[in-house]
Amino acid sequence: MAGNSSQQQTASNLDVPVVPASQDEAIEQACDALAARLSGSSSTGFAGLNRIRLSLEIPLADTSPSAQGALVSALISGLTRRGLPRPTPVGCSSSTASLSRGLTLEGALKRPGKGPVLIVAPSAAQAGQVARLLHAWGGGPVLMLNAEWEMEGGGSSSPETRQDLRFDAVYVFMPLNIKALVTRKDGIVMRSAGRAGAPWRILLLAKGKWEPIASMAQRPTSSDIETSLYNYTAATSPLTKGISAVRNLFNKRQ
């Protein structure tokens, strides 16, 4: 069993989260979660929430500059429609370098600003630069979108950098293709944390419906996902149910 499996709940007692049917729906869910976390303590939005750090993961099939820019614009628009100040986008790759009214990572390091900031698609190799930017940027909450080290689950390179880059994942939508014996199954890891401490959920597509198979307090590891799938498959297998029924019948006759 995985290290945090003691915190895992079984599928029978889980709520079914709303799985977004499109990228637009995922963006709206992410904005709702962000607004809930950022607007609770003040009518002026980000005031009083200095240095809060929240991360988001919304994968893109198309990583072109136009697609990246559209995602960032939609997120910023969603936040401002909810009454929150516009964060300054900081692009970390060639595909995000020309964000509307934004900065490059190099430019932000040379002339750091202040207020809310949205760091977009930093690579694992840029973790140290991002950590320096967090120290240099003047106040306001920090939002981070699609950080490579978060999406790959490996963390940043050094213990010191990992400490500097501790973010609370406020919204994660991570599609999975899970190998189960000789077949492959579609799955999702989701978290929508409009409140601190919201669980991580693992869902599996079964008979055309998304079935929640596990809920965890921490981000699921590959081992957690494999164990959850094994437990779910064992619990729902016709063979397993048949064996259970035979055992129950035998016990009743004793």
Side-chain angles (χ1 to χ4, degrees):
M1 298 292 287
N4 60 351
S5 58
S6 62
Q7 299 169 327
Q8 179 176 329
Q9 300 176 18
T10 60
S12 61
N13 59 359
L14 301 182
D15 295 328
V16 181
V18 178
V19 177
S22 66
Q23 180 179 298
D24 289 343
E25 285 189 22
I27 292 169
E28 288 300 305
Q29 289 181 350
C31 288
D32 284 342
L34 280 168
R37 293 290 291 274
L38 294 173
S39 62
S41 65
S42 171
S43 60
T44 57
F46 290 138
L49 293 168
N50 188 35
R51 308 319 294 166
I52 189 171
R53 299 179 183 184
L54 301 173
S55 65
L56 306 98
E57 297 171 40
I58 305 175
L60 287 173
D62 178 4
T63 57
S64 66
S66 60
Q68 294 272 12
L71 173 60
V72 172
S73 295
L75 277 171
I76 292 175
S77 175
L79 291 176
T80 56
R81 280 190 284 107
R82 288 163 174 80
L84 297 170
R86 181 185 187 276
T88 299
V90 174
C92 298
S93 68
S94 58
S95 62
T96 61
S98 58
L99 295 173
S100 175
R101 295 170 59 192
L103 302 170
T104 64
L105 179 57
E106 291 75 14
L109 283 168
K110 289 178 181 177
R111 299 185 64 180
K114 61 181 180 179
V117 60
L118 173 62
I119 302 171
V120 182
S123 69
Q126 293 171 316
Q129 290 175 289
V130 172
R132 292 200 302 274
L133 179 62
L134 296 184
H135 287 289
W137 195 268
V142 181
L143 311 179
M144 187 167 63
L145 172 65
N146 291 349
E148 182 183 43
W149 59 85
E150 296 286 356
M151 299 185 78
E152 294 183 353
S156 55
S157 55
S158 68
E160 294 79 9
T161 303
R162 283 197 294 272
Q163 181 66 26
D164 285 340
L165 295 178
R166 293 181 64 182
F167 280 71
D168 186 8
V170 69
Y171 185 82
V172 174
F173 177 74
M174 184 172 67
L176 304 170
N177 190 247
I178 308 168
K179 185 176 181 180
L181 299 178
V182 296
T183 63
R184 303 195 76 88
K185 296 182 179 292
D186 290 327
I188 295 172
V189 170
M190 276 194 74
R191 190 183 197 219
S192 185
R195 58 178 176 81
W200 293 78
R201 291 188 170 93
I202 304 172
L203 298 96
L204 188 70
L205 186 62
K207 298 181 180 179
K209 294 175 59 178
W210 288 107
E211 295 286 346
I213 64 173
S215 177
M216 298 182 178
Q218 299 176 10
R219 187 186 190 106
T221 64
S222 296
S223 178
D224 292 329
I225 294 169
E226 291 172 5
T227 299
S228 299
L229 177 60
Y230 174 83
N231 291 340
Y232 174 81
T233 302
T236 58
S237 166
L239 177 60
T240 304
K241 290 181 178 179
I243 293 172
S244 177
V246 169
R247 285 176 177 169
N248 289 339
L249 181 62
F250 178 79
N251 290 337
K252 288 179 181 178
R253 290 179 176 176
Q254 299 303 308

